[in-house]
Amino acid sequence: MTGPAEVPVVAIDGPGGSGKGTIARAVARALGWHMLDSGALYRLVGLAATRQGVALDDGGTLAGVAHGLDVVFDPLGGEEGRTLLAGVDVTAELRNETAGRAASLVAAVPAVRAALVGRQRAFRRLPGLVADGRDMGSVIFPDARLKVFLTASVEERALRRYKQLKQKGIDVNLPALSKDMAERDRRDAERAVAPLRPSPDARILDSTGLGIAAVVVQVLDWADEAYPGLARREGPEA
Ligand code: C5P
């Protein structure tokens, strides 16, 4: 089961810092569709496990943490929404690099991935879903009629992430960030389950040197092609 097949899905996958989150959010807004930030689920598992004192490689216990995640995504809280873990606002904490690293560790555990499948597919609701992650097109929504693999050079991705974190007042250092990003890319690409790689039917979009608006317009054009008449829009808000 991949969720109600009549509900259209645009899957946007790619490495960290490729701009997936920003693009997916803008595309969802332009289409008036729902949005799944699947990375947030892995970040939440990492955070919940850390809080509960569960080791990040303890597969069996982590799967239980993933199954039992008490999370609320409140779309009305702030510009990008608010995330509550067991009733506590963890929106800012989720975005920091510690949470990113923890996410990439727990994401390599097959039982954790399995535990999150149903939760992710439940986001597939009318009028449509834009799903952002690493395996949206390959594993979670293999029948999506539009799969985009968004990428950019590692230098540009590190710089984007650097600016994003700085803007949020999070103190970071660019060389350390680049190194960490390359390491995380490697772990995501080499893991045995759902490794990060484009599905054969994905459209590759290299956003190096492209602005957000240009990327959003391209994805919206493809969405129109994939779902004629369904992906109607007034125009991108990017
Ligand atoms: O996209 P984001 O940076 O929030 O993802 C954090 C980590 O979660 C990634 O480095 C990756 O290891 C993992 N992830 C995943 N599958 C997804 C989304 C995220 O393995 N669909």
Side-chain angles (χ1 to χ4, degrees), residues 1-236:
M1 270 279 291
T2 54
E6 68 276 15
V7 178
V9 176
V10 169
I12 304 184
D13 290 305
S18 60
K20 281 176 304 136
T22 306
I23 301 301
R25 199 158 269 117
V27 168
R29 204 176 295 141
L31 295 174
W33 289 8
H34 300 282
M35 154 93 195
L36 164 62
D37 170 6
S38 61
L41 291 174
Y42 291 96
R43 287 170 183 264
L44 282 160
V45 173
L47 197 61
T50 306
R51 290 196 169 169
Q52 292 168 34
V54 174
L56 297 180
D57 58 357
D58 176 357
T61 314
L62 284 173
V65 172
H67 268 299
L69 265 191
D70 171 10
V71 59
V72 174
F73 294 107
D74 169 12
L76 300 178
E79 199 182 314
E80 295 188 359
R82 212 163 53 118
T83 306
L84 305 177
L85 177 63
V88 178
D89 187 343
V90 291
T91 317
E93 200 177 343
L94 269 193
R95 298 323 319 163
N96 72 31
E97 288 304 290
T98 311
R101 206 169 308 119
S104 122
L105 288 170
V106 301
V109 176
V112 168
R113 305 200 72 85
L116 293 178
V117 169
R119 207 183 270 268
Q120 293 175 86
R121 290 186 179 154
F123 279 78
R124 188 174 192 172
R125 283 176 288 123
L126 285 168
L129 177 68
V130 180
D132 148 16
R134 304 291 192 287
D135 61 344
M136 299 295 96
S138 54
V139 177
I140 306 297
F141 305 109
D143 64 331
R145 279 203 246 146
L146 175 58
K147 300 175 185 177
V148 178
F149 191 85
L150 191 64
T151 186
S153 68
V154 76
E155 295 78 18
E156 180 145 337
R157 291 190 286 115
L159 194 61
R160 285 181 192 170
R161 183 56 67 85
Y162 175 80
K163 288 183 185 159
Q164 201 178 40
L165 292 171
K166 276 278 186 202
Q167 210 174 35
K168 290 184 177 162
I170 300 172
D171 197 25
V172 273
N173 138 332
L174 186 56
L177 196 62
S178 280
K179 185 163 164 276
D180 201 56
M181 190 165 264
E183 193 179 310
R184 213 187 300 167
D185 281 356
R186 195 163 38 247
R187 192 157 48 219
D188 287 351
E190 287 174 1
R191 70 182 171 220
V193 190
L196 173 68
R197 71 180 62 120
S199 17
D201 52 348
R203 295 188 185 238
I204 315 276
L205 181 46
D206 185 341
S207 69
T208 309
L210 288 180
I212 294 170
V215 177
V216 171
V217 165
Q218 175 63 83
V219 174
L220 287 171
D221 283 350
W222 284 338
D224 268 343
E225 252 174 71
Y227 296 106
L230 278 183
R232 273 191 225 105
R233 60 183 200 270
E234 301 298 316

